[in-house]
């Protein structure tokens, strides 16, 4: 029998590549709105720049599997990493909002494909005995790398080109461990066809919840750095503010998931958490009046609420699905989330353009309040799922449809 460490050896290279890639993307996700604000693009255009990333990401989720089927994982990964590494360089060379919209769309497309290649490889390596470990390790790498990437903002002045060069270097470096992995090429990745009407009929709360969560999360990722500058935070403060929200969301997901598993109706917890996200958003609207480090504490609590809702909505939707539908339903929810993430920054930026940058979270407050009301409405229309039909909650992230095949629940349904 092959020892477990030897079995998992190829995984370490793939996780290392993931970590380096996410470190660069974590930095760029904050650096882009910060530099755009310094260039006086205005919150309206910054919102469109943020939305473009998610549009490209959605397209990539459904185009890149075809590319892999034609030329293979390594070639696609190398081509997309090379293209992605040029994006931050092009942003420095073309300091214009119109150009940045196109560049961010291309980067979103590339990142969707890069995630998909890594996740399909991990899925192929995983066995029943190692699947949970690999999945958890991948989630941990996602959290640590994205949170750590925020602090790379402190390495140089965002008004200069150095940080964009750092991002390009990190994305290029991600090629090395993935290209040198000893893992054999996996089969073609998952190509789950979304059925949005079927999804809505199956789980209205899951559908609407993922759409609204996408809107709120997309607005946060695209515009929170602009908000943070408006309340007077330094670059260190911006990094702490955003990473606090990320860490809050990561730490609370597992406890909330276990609580939801023990409740007769998971929707009650979804309503409570979305209501809390709405109230915390209202507090953030007056963030410039909060004393000392309390703003970071509110950001932590906000992230705990808003970043945990996606997993709860996915779990609720899969409670209503047949086991064989797990991957398709989850992939469809990812598409709905992506659509919301593309819409959210546009609406939020328009509000900020009219009312001021502090009002980013007024959009989030209203969106989460609508979600809370909708969940209570649906609870009156349909009763809870029977306990024997419920799926266990598993903390997840939003990378590519291939992730849901790696999820232990997806494997269980396939076997």
């Amino acid at each position: 029998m092959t020892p477990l460490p030897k079995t998992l050896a190829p995984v370490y290279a793939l996780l290392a590549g993931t970590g380096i890639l996410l470190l660069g993307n974590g930095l760029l996700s904050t650096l882009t709105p910060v530099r755009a604000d310094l260039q006086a693009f205005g919150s309206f255009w910054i919102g469109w720049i943020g939305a473009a990333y998610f549009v490209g990401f959605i397209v990539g989720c459904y185009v890149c599997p075809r590319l892999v089927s034609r030329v293979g994982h390594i070639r696609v990964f190398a081509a997309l990493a090379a293209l992605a590494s040029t994006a931050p360089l092009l942003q420095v060379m073309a300091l214009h909002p119109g150009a940045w919209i196109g560049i961010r769309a291309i980067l979103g497309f590339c990142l969707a494909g890069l995630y998909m290649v890594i996740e399909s490889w991990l899925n192929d390596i995983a066995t029943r005995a190692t699947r949970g470990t690999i999945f958890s390790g991948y989630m941990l790498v996602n959290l640590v790398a994205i949170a750590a990437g925020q602090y790379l903002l402190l390495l140089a002045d965002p008004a200069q080109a150095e940080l964009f060069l750092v991002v390009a270097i990190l994305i290029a470096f991600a090629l090395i461990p993935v290209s040198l992995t000893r893992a054999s090429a996996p089969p073609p990745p998952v190509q789950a066809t979304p059925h949005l009407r079927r999804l809505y009929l199956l789980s209205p709360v899951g559908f609407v919840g993922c759409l609204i969560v996408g809107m709120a999360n997309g607005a946060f990722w695209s515009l929170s750095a602009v908000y943070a500058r408006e309340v007077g935070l330094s670059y260190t403060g911006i990094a702490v503010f955003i990473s606090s929200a990320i860490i809050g969301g990561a730490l609370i997901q597992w406890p909330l998931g276990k609580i939801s598993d023990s409740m007769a109706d998971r929707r009650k917890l979804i309503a409570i958490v979305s209501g809390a996200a709405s109230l915390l958003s209202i507090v953030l609207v007056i963030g410039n009046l909060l004393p000392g480090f309390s703003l970071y504490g509110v950001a932590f609590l906000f992230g705990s609420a808003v970043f945990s809702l996606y997993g709860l909505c996915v779990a609720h939707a899969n409670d209503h699905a047949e086991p064989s539908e797990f991957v398709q339903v989850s992939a469809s929810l990812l598409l709905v989330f992506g659509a919301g993430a593309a819409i959210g920054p546009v609406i939020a930026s328009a509000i900020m353009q009219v009312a001021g940058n502090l009002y980013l979270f007024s959009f989030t407050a209203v969106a989460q309040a609508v979600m809370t009301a909708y969940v209570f409405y649906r609870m009156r229309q349909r009763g809870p799922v029977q306990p024997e039909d419920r799926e266990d909650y598993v903390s997840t992230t939003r990378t590519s449809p291939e992730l849901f095949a790696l999820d232990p629940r997806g494997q269980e349904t396939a076997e």
Side-chain angles (χ1 to χ4, degrees), residues 22 56 59 110 125 139 181 208 263 293 398 413:
L22 289 171
V59 175
C110 292
I125 294 169
M139 294 298 101
T181 180
V208 174
M263 297 179 70
F293 286 91
R398 302 159 298 276
T413 61

Side-chain angles (χ1 to χ4, degrees), residues 47-291:
W48 279 98
I49 291 167
Y53 174 87
F54 293 104
V55 171
F57 193 92
I58 293 171
V59 175
C61 283
Y62 296 99
V63 172
C64 290
R66 300 176 186 175
L67 297 178
V68 172
S69 297
R70 291 179 181 178
V71 300
H73 288 73
I74 282 286
R75 289 178 179 175
V76 169
F77 191 92
L80 293 179
L83 181 58
S85 67
T86 66
L89 303 178
L90 292 173
Q91 285 184 242
V92 176
M93 296 172 62
L95 293 172
H96 186 277
W100 280 31
I101 288 173
I103 294 167
R104 291 293 289 172
I106 292 171
L107 183 66
F109 178 90
C110 292
L111 264 293
L114 293 171
Y115 290 141
M116 181 268 299
V117 168
I118 291 174
E119 289 163 5
S120 63
W121 236 319
L122 292 174
N123 184 42
D124 187 60
I125 294 169
T127 64
R128 178 183 288 274
T130 63
R131 184 168 299 276
T133 300
I134 292 174
F135 186 80
S136 298
Y138 184 70
M139 294 298 101
L140 180 62
V141 168
N142 269 265
L143 162 67
V144 173
I146 293 175
Q150 309 306 311
Y151 293 92
L152 296 182
L153 189 68
L154 311 180
L155 293 178
D157 183 358
Q160 304 302 320
E162 286 85 349
L163 289 176
F164 290 94
L165 301 181
V166 170
V167 175
I169 291 169
L170 288 171
I171 295 175
F173 276 3
L175 264 169
I176 298 172
V178 176
S179 299
L180 296 179
T181 180
R182 293 181 292 171
S184 57
V190 171
Q191 290 183 274
T193 303
H195 294 286
L196 299 186
R197 184 174 182 275
R198 158 71 176 157
L199 175 62
Y200 180 78
L201 294 175
L202 184 75
S203 175
V205 167
F207 185 102
V208 174
C210 282
L211 180 67
I212 292 178
V213 170
M215 293 169 69
N217 286 12
F220 178 87
W221 286 115
S222 302
L223 296 159
S224 59
V226 178
Y227 164 88
R229 277 178 53 82
E230 184 69 23
V231 299
L233 295 182
S234 64
Y235 295 133
T236 301
I238 293 172
V240 174
F241 177 79
I242 296 175
S243 63
S244 295
I246 295 169
I247 294 169
L251 294 181
I252 202 66
Q253 280 196 45
W254 188 84
L256 281 181
K258 293 305 175 184
I259 292 171
S260 75
D261 285 343
S262 67
M263 297 179 70
D265 193 341
R266 205 188 301 267
R267 291 174 297 181
K268 291 182 180 178
L269 185 61
I270 294 175
I272 292 170
V273 174
S274 60
S278 181
L279 293 174
L280 290 163
S281 297
I282 294 172
V283 176
L284 287 170
V285 172
I286 57 170
N288 60 326
L289 302 178
L290 296 177

